[in-house]
Amino acid sequence: MDDYPLLNLFWTMLWFFLWVMWFFLLFKVITDIFRDHSLHGWGKAGWLILVLLIPFIGVFIYVIARGRSMHERDAKQIKENEAAFRSYVQQAAASSGGGGSGSADELSKLSVLKDKGDISQEEFERAKARILA
């Protein structure tokens, strides 16, 4: 360990960290190029060639030219993912009967109410159609 001082170890760690950050940024830019729906064929190909052939300058130009829209696409993707997750959780909770009752439980309750005479046949049919819809 005497031939590799502690300061050199810190410099090596710093350069390794910057190298990893560089690849993260490069992959982020490449995925953003493919995710952007406003760019079409040749635009995507041009940005991709620029980023891959001249990586440092290409990424730098891309971040300057399209950084704001890159952020907007990220925010839009996050909102869509959250909405899809909420929808999935609500559907899963409704179908499992957690907190609310499922369609079969509601239909059986309606049948009991109809048998008791609390609701008419017409009300039963309307409620059944609403539950099954």
Side-chain angles (χ1 to χ4, degrees), residues 36-93:
D36 187 7
H37 296 296
S38 65
L39 278 177
H40 299 290
W42 288 110
K44 288 183 182 187
W47 277 113
L48 193 61
I49 289 170
L50 181 68
V51 167
L52 292 178
L53 291 182
I54 313 169
F56 292 113
I57 295 172
V59 168
F60 185 66
I61 292 171
Y62 187 85
V63 169
I64 288 173
R66 301 183 52 87
R68 177 169 296 217
S69 61
M70 188 174 174
H71 169 70
E72 291 168 356
R73 282 186 293 280
D74 280 342
K76 181 182 173 190
Q77 183 71 32
I78 289 170
K79 286 180 184 177
E80 289 174 358
N81 288 347
E82 286 177 359
F85 177 72
R86 283 191 189 118
S87 173
Y88 171 74
V89 168
Q90 289 172 352
Q91 287 177 348

Side-chain angles (χ1 to χ4, degrees), residues 1 7 10-12 32 35 37 50 58 63 66 69-71 76 83 95 105 108-109 111 132:
M1 196 71 174
L7 186 60
F10 287 134
W11 276 112
T12 302
D32 188 65
R35 183 175 53 188
H37 296 296
L50 181 68
V63 169
R66 301 183 52 87
S69 61
M70 188 174 174
H71 169 70
K76 181 182 173 190
S95 67
D105 292 336
S108 66
K109 288 177 186 176
S111 178
L132 294 177

Side-chain angles (χ1 to χ4, degrees), residues 21-37:
M21 290 271 302
W22 161 248
F23 276 108
F24 176 77
L25 181 61
L26 181 66
F27 292 137
K28 181 80 171 158
V29 166
I30 290 172
T31 57
D32 188 65
I33 289 171
F34 285 108
R35 183 175 53 188
D36 187 7
H37 296 296

